[in-house]
Amino acid sequence: MTPENDGPGLPTANSCARTRRSGAQLVVEVYGEVDIATEELLAEHLLAATAGAEPDVLVDLRRLDFLDCSGLRVLCRAEARARERGGRLRLVCEGPRIPRLLRASGLLGRFPPLPGIPRDGNAAERR
């Protein structure tokens, strides 16, 4: 990834994450490995994505190679922050690996995974 950002107020891409706008939603694309050594790189993007009122954040995990409990903790903090601000944070993933991790950690109900990035028209739908 090249160091770039996709809009004002968005953090610069790093070795774990990149943030972009998709209509009214912010998409945090996560790739590589997120563990105790790199969790702050993801946290930087999630903190910025949940900073506004009523944030609608999609965390795209389809290019993620590895996620440990420190990465799950970062996701939980960001989801709580989004909810406190009247918004939401949802996960996008393919395959069984991430849902299996969420189920094992007791977080599947909190993060029901989406199979892809929804169209912006779905952004107005609130759970």
Side-chain angles (χ1 to χ4, degrees):
M1 286 271 119
T2 58
E4 59 187 41
N5 70 19
D6 285 327
L10 299 179
T12 301
N14 58 43
S15 63
C16 287
R18 173 179 171 245
T19 302
R20 65 180 175 84
R21 294 194 188 284
S22 177
Q25 304 167 108
L26 282 176
V27 178
V28 177
E29 298 172 347
V30 185
Y31 36 83
E33 298 184 2
V34 177
D35 57 22
I36 196 164
T38 59
E39 68 178 302
E40 288 303 315
L41 297 172
L42 174 57
E44 172 188 12
H45 283 264
L46 294 176
L47 187 63
T50 59
E54 297 184 17
D56 191 6
V57 181
L58 294 168
V59 181
D60 187 350
L61 302 175
R62 293 177 293 181
R63 294 178 49 209
L64 184 68
D65 296 324
F66 178 79
L67 180 70
D68 74 0
C69 60
S70 59
L72 288 174
R73 183 177 59 244
V74 169
L75 290 172
C76 287
R77 283 191 303 226
E79 189 273 336
R81 180 179 161 126
R83 202 170 2 96
E84 287 169 0
R85 294 169 182 264
R88 64 184 174 175
L89 181 141
R90 298 172 290 162
L91 303 183
V92 176
C93 63
E94 293 175 337
R97 187 172 46 98
I98 297 298
R100 189 170 39 241
L101 175 64
L102 294 170
R103 187 176 296 108
S105 61
L107 295 172
L108 189 59
R110 186 173 182 178
F111 295 109
L114 301 171
I117 304 292
R119 291 194 177 115
D120 188 42
N122 293 337
E125 297 172 13
R126 297 285 177 184
R127 284 196 273 175

